[in-house]
Amino acid sequence: MKNVIKSVKGTRDFYPDEMAKRQWLIRKLAEASQAYGYQMYDGPCLETIDLYAAKSGEELVKEQAFVFNDRGGDPITLRPELTPTLTRMVASRQNQLTFPLRWWSFGPFWRYERPQKGRTREFFQWNIDQIGSDSVQADAEILAVAAAFLKNVGLSPDQVKLFVNDRRLMDAQLSKIGIRAEQKPAVLHLIDRIDKLPEDIWDEKMLAEGLSEAQLKAIRALLENCDLWRESDQMQTLFSLLELLEVSEYVSYDPKIIRGLDYYTGTVFEAHATNGEFRAILGGGHYANLVADVGGMPLPGVGFAMGDVVIMLVLEAYGLIPEELADPETLFVTVFSEETLGDSLRLASQLRQAGFKVIQAEPEKLAKQFKYADRLGLSKALVLGPDEIANGKVVVKDLRTFEQFNIERESLISHLRRKD
RNA sequence: GUGCCUGUAGCUCAAUGGCAGAGUGCUUCACUGUGGAUGAAGAUGUUGAGGGUUCGACCCCCUCCAGGCACCCCA
């Protein structure tokens, strides 16, 4: 491979095989979204940098966004996430929209990061939000959509789980231990990272935040307590609703779930492979007043985002991505010779007018034609040789079973339709 | 952005300073009205890029690029 111009770092080419997988993924998450009545929307991929100045984690924009000047010299950002766009869209039509809003989206995003497994610079993301409801039921519903998706792609509760926590609960618990308000952000951030850091280093960092040994011990105990949710009315309600929604097998409580983004104010959750092998598959939570930050009236909401990279790695690992190289419904019309090309072209044309997808071969050895069709993963080929043309027939060959038979040309279309 | 590891045929990998190879895949043929198998023949590389050391570099050194692991952050 000489002198092929390289692609941009951290981007991926989607050859037809990969594109078919992406389309499959979109179909699956669309089904989950639509089953709960969510509507699809999208915003622009280019935004002003001001949109992100409002919120969305300082580092995300300052360090990780692609920013460049347009020809007029104004700074433009390739969107690193969708939530600010969503809140702008909601804020600017706040009086016309019917709440609660149930919206979902799928599109490309960019982050200027060091690529590694499960993380690229250009990726696709499923976003889904319910805006305008502050109820626990809304939180439960969003979790149910996530669970429906996981189930829909064939992941079992043994393989993948949604781990849930509540920021209010954690806040109250930290207060109980005597953690001061100004210490909380750093402490919560460390709780979020406890599984990543070695025990002694984690302890060290906690103590560096001004915690006493007793407080450290209390927090460690807190993080072991998988029944902590029982101390929160909201969590209790949430879990009983999840039971009624019949998705509770996909959901577990985990006091270590905090989430990095600071706009979450209530329920927070992440989906992980239970073997701990992959990055978070999806993450989200409840926010109290995002819309107000871009100049609208305060509106609560709950939602999550799922990147395409990690979920595909997980699905690949569990062998859950179907092998659909080509559309097997596409018919393959062979050509016997230069002399009969016209007959083949006419047949293909008739089939297309009847609504079939048809690939037309070129006149070369039949063996090559069949090999080509086989590699494309097609399931049905039609042969039109001199004998068939003379008798008004056509050979239908099943490329999977190697069976073939003659059929009257007039009854071909109805035969092909009947098979479906 | 920080640290470490890796980069050889389309793919998976050999060759540790001395002629760049194997498996698989690919092309052609056996099979001039038929693709899964078998057999035969054949093609394939600026060894990621550029520079340096050396009589000689896939191998050692430097820089860059790309990928991977950890951190950071997060989908």
Side-chain angles (χ1 to χ4, degrees), chain A residues 16 26 39 52 55 63 150 154 156 169 172 191 201-202 217 242 244 262 298 303 333 335 370 385 396-397 417:
Chain A
I26 293 172
Q39 297 172 289
Y52 303 96
K55 231 65 287 164
E63 310 287 340
L150 296 173
S156 75
L169 170 62
I191 291 175
I201 298 207
W202 191 79
K217 218 177 149 190
L242 291 169
L244 293 167
D262 21 296
V333 174
V335 186
F370 279 107
V396 178
K397 173 157 180 166
R417 282 195 177 133

Side-chain angles (χ1 to χ4, degrees), chain A residues 170-399:
Chain A
M170 294 311 284
D171 192 72
Q173 293 296 317
L174 291 183
S175 294
K176 241 191 205 171
I177 295 170
I179 309 294
R180 296 191 307 276
E182 67 270 21
Q183 293 175 304
K184 279 177 184 168
V187 170
L188 286 169
H189 188 227
L190 279 166
I191 291 175
D192 197 37
R193 294 192 296 159
I194 188 166
D195 288 332
K196 287 194 162 185
L197 296 169
E199 202 167 313
D200 49 330
I201 298 207
W202 191 79
D203 287 352
E204 223 169 83
K205 284 179 184 280
M206 287 297 264
L207 295 173
E209 293 301 327
L211 272 68
S212 68
E213 290 282 354
Q215 287 176 321
L216 178 60
K217 218 177 149 190
I219 290 179
R220 276 213 176 271
L222 205 61
L223 301 183
E224 306 275 298
N225 183 4
C226 289
D227 286 326
L228 190 62
W229 61 276
R230 293 184 194 280
E231 301 193 21
S232 156
D233 289 346
Q234 280 108 343
M235 287 273 97
Q236 287 191 28
T237 308
L238 181 72
F239 278 103
S240 63
L241 285 168
L242 291 169
E243 193 80 40
L244 293 167
L245 287 162
E246 301 181 316
V247 296
S248 53
E249 55 178 359
Y250 277 97
V251 187
S252 286
Y253 176 74
D254 184 345
K256 298 189 290 295
I257 299 292
I258 298 294
R259 308 285 306 141
L261 297 171
D262 21 296
Y263 50 64
Y264 294 122
T265 52
T267 306
V268 284
F269 56 91
E270 288 176 2
H272 282 269
T274 49
N275 64 9
E277 202 186 315
F278 300 92
R279 293 166 177 279
I281 295 167
L282 61 84
H286 185 105
Y287 39 89
N289 54 6
L290 257 191
V291 178
D293 295 327
V294 292
M297 297 290 287
L299 267 180
V302 58
F304 66 82
M306 181 186 80
D308 68 311
V309 185
V310 175
I311 184 66
M312 290 309 270
L313 285 172
V314 173
L315 291 169
E316 198 87 56
Y318 288 113
L320 294 171
I321 303 174
E323 296 290 330
E324 35 187 349
L325 294 177
D327 185 350
E329 299 298 312
T330 304
L331 298 169
F332 188 76
V333 174
T334 62
V335 186
F336 185 78
S337 67
E338 296 278 358
E339 290 69 38
T340 67
L341 176 60
D343 295 275
S344 286
L345 290 172
R346 258 194 303 279
L347 175 63
S349 176
Q350 285 163 10
L351 288 167
R352 290 193 190 103
Q353 280 175 39
F356 293 95
K357 291 164 273 189
V358 182
I359 290 177
Q360 172 67 62
E362 294 195 19
E364 56 185 339
K365 292 175 77 172
L366 271 175
K368 283 186 103 174
Q369 297 182 40
F370 279 107
K371 195 168 183 180
Y372 178 74
D374 187 42
R375 287 202 192 157
L376 287 182
L378 307 179
S379 61
K380 221 166 272 172
L382 304 175
V383 185
L384 206 52
D387 299 344
E388 288 80 22
I389 292 168
N391 301 326
K393 298 203 167 190
V394 59
V395 171
V396 178
K397 173 157 180 166
D398 188 316
L399 293 166

Side-chain angles (χ1 to χ4, degrees), chain A residues 48-77:
Chain A
T48 63
I49 195 162
D50 300 339
L51 181 67
Y52 303 96
K55 231 65 287 164
S56 80
E58 296 294 310
E59 172 146 5
L60 193 62
V61 180
K62 284 198 183 124
E63 310 287 340
Q64 299 192 338
F66 279 86
V67 181
F68 55 90
N69 290 334
D70 67 14
R71 297 196 179 202
D74 296 321
I76 297 291
T77 307

Side-chain angles (χ1 to χ4, degrees), chain A residues 22 31 33 78 102-103 107 135 138 151 163 200 251 305-306:
Chain A
R22 188 162 107 201
E31 282 166 7
S33 306
L78 281 172
R102 287 179 167 88
W103 285 6
S135 68
K151 192 171 187 175
F163 295 100
D200 49 330
V251 187
M306 181 186 80

Side-chain angles (χ1 to χ4, degrees), chain A residues 52 56-57 60 79-85 109 111 125 261 263:
Chain A
Y52 303 96
S56 80
L60 193 62
R79 61 180 185 186
E81 60 161 333
L82 190 61
T83 306
T85 300
F109 295 86
R111 286 185 195 171
Q125 202 178 65
L261 297 171
Y263 50 64

